[in-house]
Amino acid sequence: MLWNRFVETRTMEGENLKKDILSKLDGMQKLVAYIEERSPEIVKEYREKLEKKVKELLEDSQIDDGRIAAEVVIFADKICTDEEVVRLKSHISHMQEVLRSEESGIGRKLDFIAQEMNREANTILSKANDLEVSNCGIDLKTEIEKSENRSRILNRGRKNEGRPGYTDSHIRNFPGQEKEQ
C-alpha cells in the first residue's frame, strides 16, 4: 500500500516535470522566433548607421553604394544565425516528440538534446551584435539549462537500481512499478 502510494507520487511528479519541460519548450520556440525575426532588422540598422557615419566622415563626397553594400554583406554574414535557428527549432521539436512518445528511458535522450540546444544558443550569443538578441539568447540558455536539469531528474531514476524514478513509465502516466517480492 505504502509502496503503491510512493510510486503514484513519483508518477505524478514525473508528469509535472514533463508538463514543465513542454511549457519551457513553448517559451523557447517564442525566443527563437524572435531571434529569427530580429536578425534582418539588425542588418538594416547596421546599414543605416554605416551610411550615416560614412556621410559624416566624407561630408560632401560621393558614397560608393557598392562599398557600403559589401560591408553590410560582410557584417550580415558574421552575425548570421540562420543555421543555429534552424537547428534549435529542430531540437525543440525533437524534444517535444520524445516527451510525447511512448518511448522508455527518455531522460538521457532529453539530456543530450538539451546539450545540443545549449551549443546552438552559445553560438547565437557569440554572434550576437545586438542587445535584444543577446538578452533573448541569455533567456534561451536559462530555459535550456532548466530543461536540462529536469531531464537529469528524469534520468536519475535509471541509476536507482530498480527503485522508482521519473523515467520510463513514470513520465508517461502509466501504472507505477510494483514492488518485487
Side-chain angles (χ1 to χ4, degrees), residues 41-98:
E41 294 174 27
I42 296 168
V43 173
K44 180 183 173 197
E45 290 169 7
Y46 176 76
R47 181 181 182 101
E48 291 168 359
K49 281 189 225 175
L50 183 61
E51 285 177 346
K52 183 179 177 185
K53 276 199 186 250
V54 170
K55 283 180 184 177
E56 286 174 8
L57 291 172
L58 298 177
E59 290 179 10
D60 293 329
S61 302
Q62 286 288 8
I63 300 172
D64 180 11
D65 286 337
R67 181 68 182 149
I68 288 179
E71 289 296 324
V72 171
V73 167
I74 291 169
F75 175 78
D77 188 50
K78 181 180 155 186
I79 67 157
C80 181
T81 58
D82 293 348
E83 291 176 30
E84 292 79 13
V85 165
V86 168
R87 285 192 294 266
L88 260 173
K89 286 179 176 180
S90 175
H91 294 320
I92 290 169
S93 180
H94 186 205
M95 189 176 275
Q96 289 169 325
E97 289 171 18
V98 169

